[in-house]
């Protein structure tokens, strides 16, 4: 009998978030996010410049990289909208209440996992969107499931 690995729901949705992240336009990290309610995807998002603006992969310039800004600092220098923000912007507000957001990311330089833990601004947006759960891939490739209220500041 052929034994095939069937992913659990978290693994399944994190794999989809990874695929969504392949559309990201950042030169440093590529993130994908999906919002799911009742095992149905209601929205997706990836990090990239706002609609109609030049993407970093097209200009070849990352201002934060040029200035050697560490991860998590000086986001105002970045032209990108975060994957979580794009997923929230594109979703129906009523459908987000009680939903789960899945986030996965990779470092562009070497393809290693990047922590998908939302930043402070994304955390506030997730809470305001009434999303109940956050599941993200950490740097070790392990899924982490938390309440948006438990995201570190």
């Amino acid at each position: 009998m052929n034994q095939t690995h069937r992913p659990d729901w978290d693994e399944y949705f994190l794999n989809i978030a990874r695929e969504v992240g392949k559309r990201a336009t950042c030169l440093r990290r590529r993130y994908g996010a999906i919002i799911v309610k009742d095992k149905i995807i209601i929205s997706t998002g990836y990090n990239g410049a706002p609609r109609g603006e030049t993407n970093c992969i097209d200009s070849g310039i990352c201002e934060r990289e040029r200035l050697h800004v560490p991860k998590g600092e000086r986001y105002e220098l970045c032209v990108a909208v975060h994957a979580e923000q794009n997923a929230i912007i594109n979703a129906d507000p009523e459908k987000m209440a009680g939903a789960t957001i899945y986030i996965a990311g990779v470092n562009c330089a070497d393809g290693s996992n990047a922590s998908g833990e939302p930043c402070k601004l994304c955390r506030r947006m997730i809470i305001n969107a009434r999303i109940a759960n956050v599941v993200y891939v950490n740097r070790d490739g392990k899924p982490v499931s938390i309440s948006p209220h438990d995201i570190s500041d």
Side-chain angles (χ1 to χ4, degrees), residues 67-112:
L67 297 172
H68 307 289
V69 176
K71 180 183 181 337
E73 296 179 19
R74 306 284 319 270
Y75 284 125
E76 74 278 5
L77 297 173
C78 181
V79 301
V81 178
H82 289 188
E84 305 95 312
Q85 295 168 351
N86 274 321
I88 291 167
I89 289 165
N90 293 320
D92 178 337
E94 290 305 313
K95 290 182 179 178
M96 286 189 285
T100 298
I101 188 166
Y102 291 86
I103 308 157
V106 298
N107 292 301
C108 294
D110 61 8
S112 64

Side-chain angles (χ1 to χ4, degrees), residues 8-21 31-46 83-85 87-88 98-105 116-118 126 131 133-137 143-146:
D8 65 25
W9 287 108
D10 284 349
E11 185 180 356
Y12 173 73
F13 289 123
L14 287 169
N15 286 337
I16 295 171
R18 280 186 193 92
E19 284 300 310
V20 170
Y31 285 99
I34 63 171
I35 300 173
V36 175
K37 187 169 185 181
D38 300 325
K39 297 183 176 64
I40 297 169
I41 297 170
I42 59 173
S43 184
T44 68
Y46 55 84
E84 305 95 312
Q85 295 168 351
I88 291 167
T100 298
I101 188 166
Y102 291 86
I103 308 157
E117 184 175 14
I126 289 166
I131 293 171
N133 301 296
V134 176
V135 180
Y136 66 89
V137 177
V144 177
S145 180
I146 59 174

